[in-house]
Every structure is written in structure tokens, then in C-alpha cells.
Amino acid sequence: MFFEEGWVPLSEATAEVFRRLQALKAAGGIGEGQGSLKLILAISVWDICDASTKVGVTAADGTVIAASKDLVAWADPRELFNEHLSLQAGSVGSSPISDAEDKAPSEAELKARYGPFLNLPVVIPVNNFQSSMTFLAEEVSGNPSKDEEIVNGARTILKMVDGGELVTREIARTALGATMSRRKFKLAWAIAAQHRDHLSAPNRWLGM
């Protein structure tokens, strides 16, 4: 609600994307095969996060503190959360992901993990957000299920996994080439994750 000029809270960005998608759907602007509004929203907001040049959190005094972009790195591009936050809540530690024993982390565990940054609102540069929004209508107008680049990308990821290779986002991104857009890469990963569940597991590379 309160933030420095030049920044937009992640929660507000998510809400604005959702409103824009609702309007596009009502106007018939969303292509066949795009999936549910929730799926399109998740892909779209993670794409905005990826495109942002930097990320910050708003401290109690209103100043922005620089944060690692790992805070907004997607684990599963189909979901509105990663291991650190919920895109809708937009604050540090708001992720609904439970631990290996299916228990939500306690307040003490969250404080130990995030320290004084727990519950601070995450913000992204407003110019990055506005720039991404100019392409939203175009990006959701096509049919990803019939896009050969996306389908072939998913096949490549699955082939790498089934071949026993270590497959991280960065490794797969390199294998698919820089010409594939960030959004198409997320869609390819989402398709592959439908067939190999472990591709969407949070913290899947810890300890490596």
C-alpha cells in the first residue's frame, strides 16, 4: 500500500494483471489452449518478475532494500507461489508450501529463515512492470498447445530428464537456445512438468 516512487508492490502487480486478463477474456482476446485464468496469471506474473531488472522489499520506514531475484524465481510456473512467497500476498515468507512432513513452517522457523525481512512487501520497478504489460494482450492471444517451439521445447526437457541429465532452469534454458522467449520457456517447462512431477518441486536442487 505504501512504497517508494518508481516501484510497484508485487501483490498490486498481480492484481492488475488479473484484472487485465479478465477484461481480455470478456473481449474474446485470450487464445484457445491458453488454459485457466489462474494458469495464465501465474505464467504472466512470473514472466514479469523474470523481466524485472531488480527486486526489492519495502522496509517499515518506506525505503526499498535491494533483494535477490531468487526471491521471485519460479519453482512451478503454473502456480501462484514459490518457496518464498505467494504472488497474491506479495510478501516475504507468504508461501503456502509446506515442508517434507506436510507441515507449514512455524513463525519461529520463518523468522530464522528471513530475519527482519519476514512479511515485508516485495516490490519491482514500475517501468519494468509497465513495459511487460504492453505485451500481455499479444502474448495471451495465441494457442501454446499448437506452438511447435513450445511443444518441441517440452520434448527436449523431457528427453534430458529421461536421459539422466541434471535439468535445472538454467541448463534447460541454454539447451533450448536464447531465441526462445522467457514466456515460451515457462510454457514448455509447464508441459514437461505435467509428465514429470519432480520438475515442479520447490528447492529441488538444494544440496547439489
Side-chain angles (χ1 to χ4, degrees):
M1 187 176 293
F2 304 101
F3 50 93
E4 273 190 10
E5 185 177 359
W7 297 84
V8 60
L10 186 57
S11 59
E12 290 189 18
T14 302
E16 177 58 28
V17 173
F18 187 53
R19 286 191 291 269
R20 190 75 60 89
L21 290 174
Q22 287 177 309
L24 287 168
K25 183 176 182 180
I30 294 182
E32 183 182 352
Q34 287 284 340
S36 67
L37 276 183
K38 177 193 170 185
L39 172 63
I40 305 169
L41 176 62
I43 294 283
S44 299
V45 180
W46 289 127
D47 210 40
I48 289 169
C49 291
D50 280 354
S52 294
T53 55
K54 52 188 175 181
V55 173
V57 293
T58 300
D61 62 358
T63 59
V64 172
I65 302 170
S68 168
K69 286 196 68 176
D70 286 347
L71 198 61
V72 293
W74 51 270
D76 183 346
R78 303 167 297 179
E79 296 291 351
L80 289 164
F81 51 82
N82 63 9
E83 52 266 47
H84 301 298
L85 53 77
S86 156
L87 293 176
Q88 292 167 297
S91 55
V92 177
S94 59
S95 173
I97 293 178
S98 53
D99 62 20
E101 298 177 354
D102 203 26
K103 291 170 54 181
S106 67
E107 187 74 8
E109 288 172 325
L110 289 173
K111 285 182 178 178
R113 186 181 305 170
Y114 299 112
F117 302 103
L118 178 63
N119 298 323
L120 293 185
V122 177
V123 291
I124 57 176
V126 68
N127 60 335
N128 290 154
F129 172 62
Q130 291 172 342
S131 176
S132 293
M133 290 295 280
T134 62
F135 302 103
L136 183 63
E138 178 184 350
E139 288 173 336
V140 302
S141 63
N143 186 342
S145 65
K146 293 184 177 179
D147 187 307
E148 288 189 10
E149 189 176 16
I150 294 172
V151 173
N152 289 336
R155 286 174 179 157
T156 298
I157 294 170
L158 289 172
K159 184 178 179 181
M160 293 169 68
V161 171
D162 293 344
E165 297 181 46
L166 171 63
V167 182
T168 67
R169 289 186 295 265
E170 292 75 15
I171 291 171
R173 193 77 177 85
T174 299
L176 294 177
T179 57
M180 175 179 269
S181 71
R182 289 186 301 264
R183 189 183 188 92
K184 286 189 176 185
F185 174 66
K186 291 179 185 64
L187 289 166
W189 189 280
I191 292 172
Q194 290 176 354
H195 302 280
R196 303 292 183 273
D197 289 345
H198 70 281
L199 287 174
S200 59
N203 292 319
R204 58 188 292 266
W205 305 301
L206 284 182
M208 288 186 175

